[in-house]
Amino acid sequence: MKHHFAKALTFLAFAGFLTINVLGQEGYVPSAENLENREWFQDNKYGLFVHWGVYSIMGGGGEQGIAEWIMERKNIPVAQYEKLPGFFNPVEFDAAEWVSMVKKAGMKYITITSKHHDGFAMYDSKVSDYNIVDATPYGKDVLGLLKKECDKQGIKLFFYHSQLDWHHPDYYPIGRTGKEIEGRTQSGDWDSYIEYMNTQLSELLTQYGDIGGIWFDGMWDKPDADWKLSETYALIHKLQPGALVGSNHHKMPYPGEDFMMFERDLPGENSMGFNNTGISDQVPLEMCETMNGSWGFNIIDQNYKSVKKLTQTMVRAAGYGANFLLNTGPMPNGMIQPENVDTLMAIGQWLERHGESIYGTRKGPVIPQEWGATTQKGNMVYIHVLDHPGGTLEIAGYKPKIKTAQFFDDGSDVEVKKTKEGIILTLPKEKLQDIDTVVVLELK
Ligand code: H79
C-alpha cells in the first residue's frame, strides 16, 4: 500500500514537473500596453506574412510543395546547405517599395521570418555568424531596413521565429524532422540551445525599437522537450511588455501567449488535420494562408488562389473574429512575385471600398455559415453574403432589433422579415456582388 502511495506521489510530482516545464508563464498578467496592442491587433485585421531566407534561392528545386523546407525534404547536408548564404544577394530589395505595397494592399502589419527551421538568421545577429550580415555578399540587415520603413509608413512589424533548428549544434537531441540530414549534430547541450534562442530573441527585441510581437513555430518538432517557455516568454514580456507572443504549436494558448494562430485553416475547421484543439475565447485569433501552395518562393508553383477566394477567406476569418495573415515568398532578388502583387492590389481595392465592414469589427452574432459570415462594430452588424444564389436567405436563431437594413454597396433598403426562428432577408439577384454582398444592419 505504502509503496503504491509513494509511487503515486512520485508520479504526481513528475506530472507537475512536466506541466511546469511544458506550460508557459504561470500567473502571467498581460501589461496594459499588451492589452491595448491586442485591441489594436483585432481592429487591424489584415497583415502580410513573409517567408524569406536563403532557401528562396532554390525556389523549391523544381518541385511543387517544397520551399523553406528544402533542406529537410531533399536532405541537403548541413555543410552543403551552408554554401547557400554565399549566393544570397537580393540587390533588388527595396524596403520602401515593400511597405508601400503593404499599405496599398490595406494591410496593417508584416510578420517576417527572422529565422526559419534552417536556422539562418535574416538579421544582424551577434551570437552566430550564420546570418545575413556576416554570411551573404549582400551584407545588409534586411529586417532593420524593413523596420525603419515600417516605422516611417505606420506599419507594425512582427517576427516569425523558429524554435526548431536544423543547423544549430546544440539543438540536441534532434526532433521528429530532419533526421536524415547529413551533418546534423550528434551531441549537444539543450540548455545552451535555449540560451542561444533567448539571446537571438533579445537581439530582435532590443535592436529595432518597438516590435509588434513574436510568432513562434516549430515546437511540435520536439513535443516532449523542456522548452522553458516561461523563461522565454518572461524575457520577451520584460524587454517589450507590449509585444504579442503567439506560437503555432496547434494547442490551446499557454500562459504568456497573447494570441492564437491557425495555419491555413479557419478557426475550428481543422482542414489541415493538426488544428484540432478548439478556439480560445481569451486571446485574439489569427489565421495564416498562402497565395499559392508554398510559403517560401517556389518557382513552379502557379497554383494561385483567386482574389475572390482569398477575400472571402479573409471575410470568413473576420466572422470568427480572426485576423488574416496572407503570405508571400519574396524572390531571391528581393522582389515580391508580381502575381502576388497583383492579388494584393486587388484585395486592397476591395478593402478600400468595404473596409468599414472588416476593420475595427469583432466576430458577428452569427458564426460563419455556408452562405457567409457576420461581423459587428457597436450597433452595426455586417452580414457578408459570400455564397448564395439570391432570393431569400433565412438566418435562424438570430433575432435582432433592427433600425435600418441596407445593402452596403448602394445604400438601398433590404427587405427583412421577422419569423419565429429568426430573420429572412430578400436578396434580389441584381443586388448580388461577385465577392461579397454586404448587408448592413443598424440595431436599435
Ligand atoms: O512557416 C511555415 C511552414 O514552413 C511551417 N509553418 C508555416 C507557417 C510549417 N512547418 N510544418 N508545417 C508547416 C506543417 C508540417 C507539419 C508536420 Fe507535423 C510536422 C508534420 C509532421 C511534422 C506537426 C507535427 C504536425 C503534425 C505533426
Side-chain angles (χ1 to χ4, degrees):
M1 231 6 219
K2 239 187 185 167
H3 181 67
H4 277 123
F5 185 63
K7 239 183 168 173
L9 265 186
T10 314
F11 172 76
L12 279 177
F14 183 63
F17 168 78
L18 272 185
T19 312
I20 287 162
N21 283 291
V22 169
L23 293 185
Q25 232 182 318
E26 288 300 321
Y28 168 60
V29 181
S31 68
E33 197 184 348
N34 188 287
L35 294 174
E36 245 171 62
N37 287 343
R38 292 184 189 188
E39 292 302 312
W40 180 93
F41 188 72
Q42 292 176 87
D43 283 345
N44 284 278
K45 284 284 181 290
Y46 185 33
L48 181 70
F49 209 176
V50 181
H51 276 73
W52 200 32
V54 292
Y55 44 79
S56 309
I57 302 168
M58 307 283 284
E63 215 177 293
Q64 291 281 0
I66 301 187
E68 72 287 350
W69 273 66
I70 195 158
M71 183 181 186
E72 206 263 5
R73 296 288 302 279
K74 292 292 173 191
N75 289 317
I76 301 175
V78 173
Q80 309 312 320
Y81 195 90
E82 279 177 348
K83 293 176 179 164
L84 274 180
F87 316 137
F88 193 68
N89 194 15
V91 290
E92 304 290 337
F93 171 67
D94 182 341
E97 221 168 89
W98 279 28
V99 180
S100 303
M101 175 197 75
V102 161
K103 281 199 80 124
K104 267 194 220 141
M107 293 165 147
K108 309 296 183 185
Y109 62 100
I110 299 173
T111 304
I112 187 168
T113 43
S114 46
K115 181 189 89 165
H116 208 273
H117 309 333
D118 66 356
F120 188 77
M122 289 293 282
Y123 70 99
D124 186 12
S125 176
K126 309 290 191 295
V127 281
S128 156
D129 286 347
Y130 205 48
N131 74 70
I132 189 164
V133 175
D134 293 316
T136 75
Y138 191 61
K140 290 186 218 165
D141 182 342
V142 292
L143 295 198
L145 293 170
L146 191 60
K147 179 61 166 64
K148 257 201 198 119
E149 200 51 45
C150 282
D151 286 347
K152 210 158 140 192
Q153 301 198 39
I155 293 293
K156 281 208 195 201
L157 189 64
F158 290 65
F159 296 131
Y160 167 109
H161 205 75
S162 173
Q163 293 156 303
L164 158 59
D165 194 314
W166 295 317
H167 181 266
H168 199 277
D170 283 319
Y171 190 86
Y172 186 85
I174 64 170
R176 66 209 287 182
T177 65
K179 285 187 195 300
E180 310 295 322
I181 300 172
E182 194 188 308
R184 280 190 81 190
T185 185
Q186 307 284 318
S187 66
D189 178 26
W190 181 246
D191 289 351
S192 299
Y193 175 71
I194 299 289
E195 211 178 293
Y196 162 78
M197 190 173 64
N198 288 345
T199 308
Q200 286 211 322
L201 289 164
S202 300
E203 294 175 338
L204 290 166
L205 289 153
T206 54
Q207 290 176 187
Y208 306 101
D210 277 357
I211 64 145
I214 303 287
W215 205 107
F216 283 112
D217 198 3
M219 226 178 100
W220 36 257
D221 188 54
K222 295 180 62 164
D224 301 322
D226 180 3
W227 286 95
K228 302 191 201 173
L229 291 185
S230 297
E231 246 174 68
T232 301
Y233 291 175
L235 174 74
I236 297 170
H237 290 130
K238 187 185 87 192
L239 292 172
Q240 291 203 24
L244 304 182
V245 172
S247 179
N248 189 26
H249 45 46
H250 319 136
K251 301 262 170 18
M252 289 303 267
Y254 296 138
E257 294 175 4
D258 306 300
F259 67 106
M260 177 180 193
M261 63 273 269
F262 296 83
E263 179 174 330
R264 278 183 181 162
D265 207 8
L266 285 159
E269 298 201 349
N270 192 25
S271 49
M272 292 297 285
F274 54 66
N275 299 323
N276 53 3
T277 48
I279 309 174
S280 169
D281 57 4
Q282 304 295 309
V283 294
L285 311 175
E286 183 191 65
M287 167 194 184
C288 57
E289 179 60 292
T290 49
M291 281 202 250
N292 50 10
S294 318
W295 296 102
F297 175 58
N298 181 301
I299 200 162
I300 62 160
D301 188 347
Q302 299 296 300
N303 198 13
Y304 299 112
K305 299 174 183 86
S306 67
V307 169
K308 177 174 176 173
K309 168 90 184 145
L310 290 169
T311 310
Q312 291 192 338
T313 307
M314 169 172 65
V315 171
R316 283 185 189 278
Y320 283 106
N323 282 20
F324 192 54
L325 183 64
L326 184 55
N327 181 75
T328 190
M331 299 184 287
N333 67 355
M335 291 180 75
I336 309 289
Q337 301 177 53
E339 297 88 345
N340 289 181
V341 178
D342 291 348
T343 300
L344 293 175
M345 291 306 104
I347 300 174
Q349 274 171 16
W350 184 87
L351 273 167
E352 203 169 297
R353 178 92 186 79
H354 301 91
E356 181 197 316
S357 68
I358 301 291
Y359 300 121
T361 66
R362 297 293 182 271
K363 70 176 173 189
V366 182
I367 62 157
Q369 310 283 323
E370 287 279 302
W371 56 259
T374 64
T375 54
Q376 183 158 13
K377 194 188 314 181
N379 65 335
M380 308 299 278
V381 170
Y382 302 92
I383 301 177
H384 301 264
V385 183
L386 303 171
D387 187 9
H388 194 271
T392 55
L393 168 63
E394 180 170 9
I395 306 180
Y398 181 46
K399 298 177 175 181
K401 292 201 169 81
I402 299 170
K403 198 162 146 197
T404 61
Q406 295 178 336
F407 286 106
F408 184 94
D409 281 271
D410 65 4
S412 64
D413 288 341
V414 178
E415 194 188 314
V416 185
K417 226 190 276 163
K418 291 189 177 184
T419 67
K420 261 194 205 143
E421 281 78 39
I423 53 173
I424 296 177
L425 309 179
T426 301
L427 307 168
K429 270 205 166 67
E430 67 273 15
K431 295 287 184 186
L432 294 186
Q433 304 289 320
D434 180 43
I435 292 179
D436 181 1
T437 308
V438 185
V439 172
V440 191
L441 306 182
E442 190 188 349
L443 304 183
K444 281 180 192 156

